[in-house]
Amino acid sequence: MKKLRNSGIIMLIICLVFTTVCFVPSTVQAKGITSVRQVEKLAKKQVKGASIHKVEQDYEDGKFIYEVELSKGKKEYNLAYRASDGKLISYEWEIYSWHVRRGRGKLISISKAKKLAKKQVKNAKITSVMRKYSDGIDMYRVKMKTGKKKYELKIHARTGKVLEYEWELLKKSNNKYIGEEKAKAIALEKTGAGTVIKVDFDYDDGVPVYEVEIMKGMYEYEVVIDARTGKILDFEVEHIYD
């Protein structure tokens, strides 16, 4: 009788252990993304009716992310999800170039471009506006910011149509970094004066950086600076009508 009772207790313990092993991990994993199928499901829910072309896993800011490329109608979409919690951290779409016409008539004003941008992103602060000429198209590039996100829109300068729309979550800064003012000074020294139109804190291959945009004459400069050391990591020059 004692042996039977002991056997029953042992079987009960085995069952409890088996239940814990089988079910607890799946509950924990359900909060994040553990497979390509999961991220595809999230992306299709975000852009209903779209076709998925590519899913890639990357490493950003010390965390794994999934990048998804989709298409629907005249647009291409790019989404990025954080693997740890399945949160959408960036969203972008653009109209395929072969669907964009040069357009006729006068260029719309900067104030009109600002109004169109604010219509797309409610309660956002415009941080910079620039007119560019690319692939035969006149367009305005408008950068905006809210409390948690930064946006970039490209608006057709003749038709007022939004050609590209993008947002991503803002990265948090840190006291160990050189700060925006120091980054501005380093960038201006590199370009030899100019007007700072934008400073962004971001991560480049896991390295915290400041991206400083400067206008000088007919040229736009972008200086990427290591946020910890102040070292210039990248330097680009572009004519505004390139």
Side-chain angles (χ1 to χ4, degrees):
M1 191 71 168
K2 201 179 228 181
K3 286 183 180 180
L4 287 173
R5 188 180 300 168
N6 289 339
S7 298
I9 293 171
I10 291 169
M11 287 299 296
L12 179 61
I13 292 171
I14 290 172
C15 289
L16 288 171
V17 171
F18 178 81
T19 303
T20 303
V21 170
C22 290
F23 295 102
V24 171
S26 62
T27 304
V28 174
Q29 291 176 357
K31 296 179 181 178
I33 300 173
T34 58
S35 69
V36 171
R37 183 174 293 181
Q38 281 180 293
V39 77
E40 286 180 342
K41 188 175 180 180
L42 288 171
K44 284 186 175 182
K45 188 176 180 180
Q46 182 69 37
V47 187
K48 294 180 180 179
S51 300
I52 294 177
H53 299 294
K54 184 167 60 177
V55 178
E56 293 183 337
Q57 192 177 50
D58 201 353
Y59 196 67
E60 182 180 291
D61 191 19
K63 297 178 181 178
F64 281 110
I65 64 170
Y66 283 91
E67 297 176 339
V68 189
E69 184 181 303
L70 313 92
S71 67
K72 180 183 177 182
K74 298 179 180 180
K75 296 179 181 177
E76 177 186 15
Y77 294 80
N78 287 281
L79 314 180
Y81 289 89
R82 194 161 54 207
S84 61
D85 57 5
K87 187 178 181 65
L88 181 65
I89 59 174
S90 71
Y91 172 90
E92 175 187 357
W93 62 256
E94 65 176 292
I95 297 175
Y96 286 112
S97 58
W98 53 86
H99 289 298
V100 181
R101 296 182 179 180
R102 183 174 179 179
R104 297 179 180 179
K106 295 181 179 180
L107 296 170
I108 65 174
S109 64
I110 289 178
S111 59
K112 176 66 173 178
K114 287 181 177 180
K115 287 180 181 178
L116 292 170
K118 284 188 173 183
K119 190 176 180 180
Q120 292 289 323
V121 187
K122 305 291 185 182
N123 303 318
K125 178 183 177 183
I126 294 176
T127 56
S128 72
V129 181
M130 181 181 295
R131 184 162 66 86
K132 302 188 71 176
Y133 186 78
S134 179
D135 296 328
I137 306 296
D138 284 295
M139 64 179 71
Y140 285 104
R141 186 185 68 182
V142 185
K143 292 192 174 184
M144 313 173 76
K145 185 183 288 187
T146 60
K148 296 181 180 180
K149 296 177 181 177
K150 62 179 181 179
Y151 298 80
E152 182 173 318
L153 283 70
K154 290 183 180 177
I155 299 172
H156 200 300
R158 296 186 186 275
T159 66
K161 188 173 184 178
V162 179
L163 304 177
E164 295 183 30
Y165 174 94
E166 175 186 357
W167 67 256
E168 64 176 299
L169 296 179
L170 288 169
K171 309 292 192 307
K172 293 184 179 180
S173 190
N174 190 307
N175 292 332
K176 296 178 181 178
Y177 303 145
I178 61 174
E180 288 190 3
E181 293 305 315
K182 179 67 175 176
K184 287 180 186 178
I186 293 170
L188 286 168
E189 184 178 356
K190 176 68 176 176
T191 59
T195 303
V196 176
I197 59 173
K198 189 77 160 82
V199 181
D200 271 336
F201 179 83
D202 209 339
Y203 284 87
D204 187 357
D205 292 331
V207 178
V209 297
Y210 287 104
E211 297 175 348
V212 186
E213 293 183 15
I214 295 173
M215 281 292 297
K216 183 182 176 185
M218 298 296 287
Y219 292 90
E220 178 185 1
Y221 300 81
E222 183 173 299
V223 189
V224 180
I225 301 166
D226 190 306
R228 292 195 180 99
T229 67
K231 181 180 178 181
I232 294 175
L233 304 177
D234 192 24
F235 179 70
E236 294 182 8
V237 185
E238 183 180 358
H239 196 284
I240 62 172
Y241 288 110
D242 185 9

Coordinates of all heavy atoms in Angstrom, one line a residue, residues 1-39:
M1 N 0.8 -1.2 0.0 CA 0.0 0.0 0.0 C 0.9 1.3 0.0 O 0.6 2.2 -0.7 CB -0.9 0.0 1.3 CG -2.0 1.0 1.2 SD -3.2 0.6 0.0 CE -4.5 1.7 0.4
K2 N 2.0 1.2 0.8 CA 2.9 2.4 0.9 C 3.5 2.6 -0.5 O 3.7 3.7 -0.9 CB 3.9 2.1 1.9 CG 4.6 3.3 2.4 CD 5.6 2.9 3.5 CE 5.4 3.8 4.7 NZ 6.4 3.5 5.8
K3 N 3.9 1.4 -1.2 CA 4.6 1.5 -2.5 C 3.6 2.2 -3.5 O 4.0 3.0 -4.3 CB 5.0 0.1 -2.9 CG 6.2 -0.4 -2.2 CD 6.6 -1.7 -2.8 CE 7.8 -2.3 -2.0 NZ 8.2 -3.6 -2.6
L4 N 2.4 1.8 -3.5 CA 1.4 2.4 -4.4 C 1.2 3.9 -4.2 O 1.1 4.7 -5.1 CB 0.0 1.7 -4.2 CG -0.1 0.2 -4.8 CD1 -1.4 -0.4 -4.4 CD2 0.1 0.2 -6.3
R5 N 1.2 4.3 -2.9 CA 1.0 5.7 -2.5 C 2.2 6.5 -3.0 O 2.1 7.5 -3.6 CB 0.9 5.8 -1.0 CG 0.5 7.3 -0.6 CD 0.4 7.4 0.9 NE -0.7 6.5 1.4 CZ -0.9 6.2 2.6 NH1 -0.1 6.7 3.6 NH2 -1.9 5.4 3.0
N6 N 3.4 5.9 -2.8 CA 4.7 6.6 -3.3 C 4.7 6.7 -4.8 O 5.1 7.7 -5.4 CB 5.9 5.8 -2.8 CG 6.1 5.9 -1.3 OD1 5.6 6.9 -0.7 ND2 6.8 5.0 -0.7
S7 N 4.2 5.6 -5.5 CA 4.2 5.6 -6.9 C 3.2 6.7 -7.4 O 3.5 7.4 -8.4 CB 3.7 4.3 -7.4 OG 4.6 3.3 -7.1
G8 N 2.1 6.9 -6.7 CA 1.2 7.9 -7.1 C 1.7 9.3 -7.0 O 1.5 10.2 -7.8
I9 N 2.5 9.5 -5.9 CA 3.1 10.8 -5.7 C 4.2 11.1 -6.7 O 4.2 12.2 -7.3 CB 3.8 10.9 -4.3 CG1 2.7 10.8 -3.2 CG2 4.6 12.2 -4.1 CD1 3.2 10.7 -1.8
I10 N 5.0 10.1 -7.1 CA 6.0 10.3 -8.1 C 5.4 10.6 -9.4 O 5.8 11.5 -10.2 CB 6.8 9.0 -8.2 CG1 7.7 8.8 -7.0 CG2 7.7 9.1 -9.4 CD1 8.4 7.5 -6.8
M11 N 4.3 9.9 -9.8 CA 3.6 10.2 -11.1 C 3.0 11.6 -11.1 O 3.1 12.3 -12.1 CB 2.5 9.2 -11.3 CG 2.9 7.8 -11.6 SD 3.9 7.7 -13.1 CE 2.6 8.2 -14.3
L12 N 2.5 12.1 -9.9 CA 1.9 13.4 -9.9 C 3.0 14.5 -10.1 O 2.9 15.4 -10.8 CB 1.3 13.6 -8.5 CG 0.7 15.0 -8.3 CD1 -0.4 15.3 -9.3 CD2 0.1 15.1 -6.8
I13 N 4.2 14.3 -9.5 CA 5.4 15.2 -9.7 C 5.8 15.2 -11.1 O 6.1 16.3 -11.7 CB 6.5 14.8 -8.8 CG1 6.1 15.0 -7.3 CG2 7.8 15.6 -9.1 CD1 7.1 14.4 -6.3
I14 N 5.9 14.0 -11.8 CA 6.3 14.0 -13.2 C 5.3 14.7 -14.0 O 5.7 15.5 -15.0 CB 6.4 12.5 -13.6 CG1 7.6 11.8 -12.9 CG2 6.5 12.4 -15.1 CD1 7.6 10.3 -13.2
C15 N 4.0 14.6 -13.8 CA 3.0 15.3 -14.5 C 3.1 16.8 -14.4 O 3.0 17.6 -15.4 CB 1.6 14.9 -14.1 SG 1.2 13.2 -14.6
L16 N 3.4 17.3 -13.2 CA 3.5 18.7 -12.9 C 4.7 19.3 -13.6 O 4.7 20.3 -14.2 CB 3.6 19.0 -11.4 CG 2.4 18.8 -10.6 CD1 2.6 18.9 -9.1 CD2 1.3 19.8 -11.0
V17 N 5.8 18.5 -13.6 CA 7.1 18.9 -14.3 C 6.8 19.0 -15.8 O 7.2 19.9 -16.4 CB 8.3 18.0 -13.9 CG1 9.5 18.3 -14.8 CG2 8.6 18.1 -12.5
F18 N 6.2 18.0 -16.3 CA 5.9 17.9 -17.7 C 5.0 19.1 -18.2 O 5.3 19.7 -19.2 CB 5.2 16.6 -18.1 CG 4.8 16.5 -19.5 CD1 5.8 16.1 -20.5 CD2 3.5 16.8 -20.0 CE1 5.4 16.0 -21.8 CE2 3.2 16.7 -21.3 CZ 4.1 16.3 -22.2
T19 N 4.0 19.4 -17.4 CA 3.1 20.5 -17.7 C 3.9 21.8 -17.7 O 3.7 22.7 -18.6 CB 2.0 20.6 -16.6 OG1 1.3 19.4 -16.6 CG2 1.0 21.8 -17.0
T20 N 4.8 22.0 -16.7 CA 5.6 23.2 -16.6 C 6.5 23.4 -17.8 O 6.6 24.5 -18.4 CB 6.4 23.2 -15.3 OG1 5.6 23.1 -14.2 CG2 7.2 24.6 -15.2
V21 N 7.2 22.3 -18.2 CA 8.1 22.4 -19.3 C 7.4 22.6 -20.6 O 7.9 23.4 -21.4 CB 8.9 21.0 -19.4 CG1 9.7 21.0 -20.7 CG2 9.8 20.9 -18.2
C22 N 6.3 22.0 -20.8 CA 5.6 22.1 -22.1 C 4.9 23.5 -22.3 O 4.8 24.0 -23.4 CB 4.5 21.0 -22.2 SG 5.3 19.4 -22.4
F23 N 4.3 24.0 -21.2 CA 3.4 25.1 -21.4 C 4.0 26.5 -21.0 O 3.6 27.5 -21.5 CB 2.1 24.9 -20.6 CG 1.3 23.7 -21.2 CD1 1.3 22.5 -20.6 CD2 0.6 23.9 -22.4 CE1 0.6 21.4 -21.1 CE2 -0.1 22.8 -22.9 CZ -0.1 21.6 -22.3
V24 N 4.8 26.6 -20.0 CA 5.4 27.8 -19.5 C 6.2 28.6 -20.6 O 6.0 29.7 -20.8 CB 6.2 27.7 -18.2 CG1 6.9 29.0 -17.8 CG2 5.3 27.2 -17.1
P25 N 7.2 27.9 -21.2 CA 7.9 28.6 -22.2 C 7.1 29.2 -23.4 O 7.4 30.3 -23.8 CB 8.9 27.5 -22.8 CG 9.0 26.5 -21.7 CD 7.6 26.5 -21.0
S26 N 6.1 28.5 -23.8 CA 5.3 29.0 -24.9 C 4.5 30.2 -24.5 O 4.3 31.1 -25.3 CB 4.3 27.9 -25.4 OG 3.4 27.6 -24.3
T27 N 4.1 30.3 -23.2 CA 3.4 31.5 -22.7 C 4.4 32.7 -22.7 O 4.0 33.8 -23.1 CB 2.9 31.3 -21.2 OG1 2.1 30.1 -21.3 CG2 2.2 32.5 -20.7
V28 N 5.6 32.5 -22.3 CA 6.6 33.6 -22.3 C 6.9 34.0 -23.7 O 7.0 35.2 -24.0 CB 7.9 33.1 -21.6 CG1 9.0 34.2 -21.7 CG2 7.6 32.8 -20.1
Q29 N 7.2 33.1 -24.6 CA 7.6 33.4 -26.0 C 6.5 34.1 -26.7 O 6.7 34.8 -27.7 CB 8.0 32.1 -26.7 CG 9.3 31.5 -26.2 CD 9.6 30.2 -26.9 OE1 8.8 29.7 -27.7 NE2 10.7 29.6 -26.5
A30 N 5.2 33.9 -26.3 CA 4.1 34.4 -27.1 C 4.1 36.0 -27.1 O 3.5 36.6 -27.9 CB 2.8 33.9 -26.5
K31 N 4.9 36.6 -26.1 CA 4.9 38.0 -26.0 C 5.8 38.6 -27.1 O 5.7 39.8 -27.4 CB 5.4 38.4 -24.6 CG 4.5 38.0 -23.5 CD 5.1 38.4 -22.1 CE 4.2 38.0 -21.0 NZ 4.7 38.4 -19.7
G32 N 6.8 37.8 -27.6 CA 7.7 38.3 -28.6 C 7.5 37.6 -29.9 O 6.6 36.9 -30.1
I33 N 8.5 37.8 -30.8 CA 8.5 37.2 -32.1 C 9.6 36.1 -32.1 O 10.7 36.4 -31.9 CB 8.8 38.2 -33.2 CG1 7.7 39.2 -33.2 CG2 8.8 37.5 -34.6 CD1 7.9 40.4 -34.2
T34 N 9.2 34.9 -32.4 CA 10.2 33.8 -32.4 C 10.3 33.1 -33.8 O 11.0 32.1 -33.9 CB 9.8 32.7 -31.4 OG1 8.4 32.2 -31.6 CG2 9.8 33.3 -30.0
S35 N 9.5 33.5 -34.8 CA 9.5 32.9 -36.1 C 9.1 33.9 -37.2 O 8.5 34.9 -36.9 CB 8.6 31.7 -36.1 OG 7.2 32.1 -36.1
V36 N 9.6 33.6 -38.4 CA 9.2 34.4 -39.5 C 7.7 34.4 -39.8 O 7.2 35.5 -40.1 CB 10.0 33.9 -40.8 CG1 9.5 34.6 -42.0 CG2 11.5 34.1 -40.7
R37 N 7.1 33.3 -39.5 CA 5.6 33.2 -39.7 C 4.9 34.3 -38.8 O 3.9 34.9 -39.3 CB 5.1 31.8 -39.4 CG 3.6 31.6 -39.7 CD 3.2 30.2 -39.5 NE 3.8 29.3 -40.5 CZ 3.6 28.0 -40.6 NH1 2.8 27.4 -39.7 NH2 4.2 27.3 -41.6
Q38 N 5.4 34.4 -37.6 CA 4.8 35.4 -36.7 C 4.9 36.8 -37.2 O 3.9 37.6 -37.2 CB 5.4 35.3 -35.3 CG 4.9 34.1 -34.4 CD 5.6 34.1 -33.1 OE1 6.8 33.9 -33.0 NE2 4.9 34.4 -32.1
V39 N 6.1 37.2 -37.7 CA 6.3 38.5 -38.1 C 5.5 38.8 -39.4 O 5.0 39.9 -39.7 CB 7.8 38.9 -38.3 CG1 8.4 38.2 -39.5 CG2 8.0 40.4 -38.3

